[in-house]
C-alpha cells in the first residue's frame, strides 16, 4: 500500500510530482514544468516543456524570447500529465494568466496556489475556491499586521495628490508585471482618462495585457515627452527607477510606490517614498485565513513567505498544517 500523498514531494527547488516526473514552479531547469504565473521567481526559462495558461506562456515568451516546449492549458481545462496524474488550471486572481494548479492522483486532490489574492482586480480572473485534500498556499503577507486597504482608497490618494500639485508629476513605482497594469486599470475605472506616462521598461508588458483584452487607455512613453507635457501627470516606472538618473527628466516628481510592503513605514522611508500606496497582488492576512477556511482542506502546506504565524493560526483553528522550505521565491516589490 502506498502512503497517502507520497506522490507529491516538496523539494527545495520546487514541488515534485513524482509519478509524472514533473515540477511545479521549479527554480531550476527541468524536463517538464507546470508554471502557475509569469513572475520571475515562478516562471523561469530553460525547461524542456512548460505547461501554463496562454497568457503566462505569452509573458514567458516576452521575457525569455523563447517559447520552446510551450504547452497551453486554459482555465478549467484538465490535462493528463502522465503517471496517472491530471492537472487542472484554475484562476488565482494574482496577475494576468495566473493559475492555481489542481493535481489529482488516485482519488487524492492537491492544490498549489502559486501567488494569489481575493481582492478585486480588473486585470486578472478572480480566484476560484475549489475543494481539495492538501492546499499549498503562499504566505507572502502571512502576519496579522498585514491588511491591505481597498484599492479604491489608495487610488483616491493618488488622484488627490495629483490634484494638489498641478505643476509637478506623481511618479509611481510599480512592479512591471501585474501591479503597473492594475494601477492603470483602476485609475481608468476611477474616471482618470488622461495620458498615463510610462518608463520604457513597462511598455511591452502593457501591450501584452491589451492583446489579452485588458484595455489601459492612452499610454505614452516618458522618453517621447517634453518635460512640461508631463506636469500634472501620473508616471509609472519600475521601483528600481524611482531614485536613479532616469527620474531627473521629470518635472518635480512626487515619489509614490504601489506595494503591499508600503504598510511598513520604514520600507517607504528607506526608498524615499513620499506617497506610499498599499496595493498588493498577494492575499493579506485576512484573505489567507479566509481562503483556508473556505477551501477547508484536510491539510494546509505553507510556503513562500512568513510561514510561522499562519502555521500557528492553523494549529489554533485545529487545522493540520506544515511549513515547506522552498528556495528562490522573492516578492520584495510586490
Ligand atoms: Zn507572483
Ligand atoms: Zn511569488
Amino acid at each position: 500500500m502506498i502512503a497517502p500523498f507520497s506522490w507529491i514531494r516538496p523539494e527545495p527547488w520546487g514541488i515534485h510530482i513524482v509519478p509524472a516526473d514533473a515540477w511545479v514552479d521549479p527554480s531550476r531547469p527541468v524536463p517538464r514544468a507546470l508554471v502557475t504565473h509569469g513572475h520571475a521567481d515562478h516562471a523561469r526559462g530553460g525547461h524542456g516543456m512548460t505547461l501554463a495558461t496562454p497568457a503566462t506562456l505569452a509573458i514567458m515568451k516576452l521575457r525569455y524570447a523563447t517559447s520552446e516546449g510551450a504547452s497551453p492549458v486554459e482555465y478549467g481545462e484538465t490535462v493528463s500529465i502522465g503517471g496517472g496524474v491530471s492537472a487542472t488550471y484554475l484562476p488565482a486572481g494574482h496577475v494576468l494568466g495566473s493559475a492555481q494548479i489542481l493535481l489529482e492522483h488516485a482519488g487524492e486532490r492537491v492544490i498549489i496556489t502559486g501567488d494569489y489574492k481575493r481582492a478585486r482586480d480588473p486585470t486578472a480572473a478572480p480566484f476560484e475556491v475549489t475543494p481539495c485534500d492538501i492546499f499549498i498556499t503562499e504566505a507572502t503577507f502571512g502576519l496579522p499586521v498585514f491588511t491591505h486597504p481597498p484599492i479604491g482608497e489608495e487610488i483616491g490618494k493618488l488622484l488627490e495628490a495629483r490634484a494638489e500639485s498641478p505643476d509637478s508629476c506623481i511618479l509611481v513605482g510599480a512592479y512591471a508585471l501585474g501591479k503597473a497594469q492594475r494601477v492603470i486599470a483602476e485609475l481608468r475605472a476611477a474616471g482618470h482618462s488622461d495620458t498615463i506616462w510610462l518608463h520604457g521598461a513597462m511598455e511591452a508588458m502593457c501591450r501584452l495585457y491589451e492583446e489579452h483584452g485588458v484595455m489601459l487607455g492612452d499610454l505614452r512613453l516618458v522618453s517621447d515627452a517634453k518635460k512640461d507635457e508631463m506636469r500634472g501627470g501620473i508616471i509609472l516606472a519600475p521601483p528600481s527607477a524611482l531614485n536613479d538618473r532616469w527620474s531627473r527628466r521629470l518635472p518635480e516628481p512626487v515619489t509614490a510606490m504601489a506595494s503591499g510592503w508600503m504598510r511598513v513605514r520604514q520600507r517607504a522611508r528607506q526608498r524615499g517614498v513620499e506617497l506610499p500606496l498599499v496595493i498588493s497582488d498577494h492575499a493579506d492576512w485576512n484573505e489567507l485565513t479566509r481562503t483556508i477556511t473556505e477551501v477547508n482542506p484536510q491539510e494546509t502546506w505553507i510556503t513562500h513567505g512568513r510561514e510561522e504565524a499562519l502555521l500557528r493560526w492553523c494549529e489554533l483553528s485545529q487545522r493540520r498544517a506544515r511549513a515547506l522550505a522552498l528556495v528562490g521565491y522573492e516578492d520584495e516589490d510586490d
Side-chain angles (χ1 to χ4, degrees), residues 256-290:
M257 174 136 164
S259 163
W261 301 112
M262 291 296 102
R263 177 62 83 200
V264 185
R265 286 219 181 101
Q266 199 190 340
R267 290 234 194 178
R269 227 176 298 131
Q270 271 167 5
R271 303 192 81 139
V273 173
E274 298 157 87
L275 178 65
L277 302 170
V278 184
I279 299 177
S280 175
D281 286 330
H282 292 275
D284 69 2
W285 174 258
N286 294 327
E287 291 169 67
L288 291 169
T289 54
R290 175 184 140 210

Side-chain angles (χ1 to χ4, degrees), residues 108-120:
E108 297 173 333
R109 292 160 63 89
V110 175
I111 285 179
I112 297 150
T113 64
D115 296 338
Y116 69 98
K117 72 173 175 294
R118 306 296 301 275
R120 87 165 184 225

Side-chain angles (χ1 to χ4, degrees), residues 37 39 41-42 94 115 282 304 329-331 334:
H37 68 285
H39 279 146
D41 53 331
H42 297 259
H94 175 57
D115 296 338
H282 292 275
H304 199 13
Y329 296 103
E330 311 154 26
D331 287 296
D334 229 346

Side-chain angles (χ1 to χ4, degrees), residues 138 150 245 283 286 323:
E138 66 135 322
R245 289 175 58 86
N286 294 327

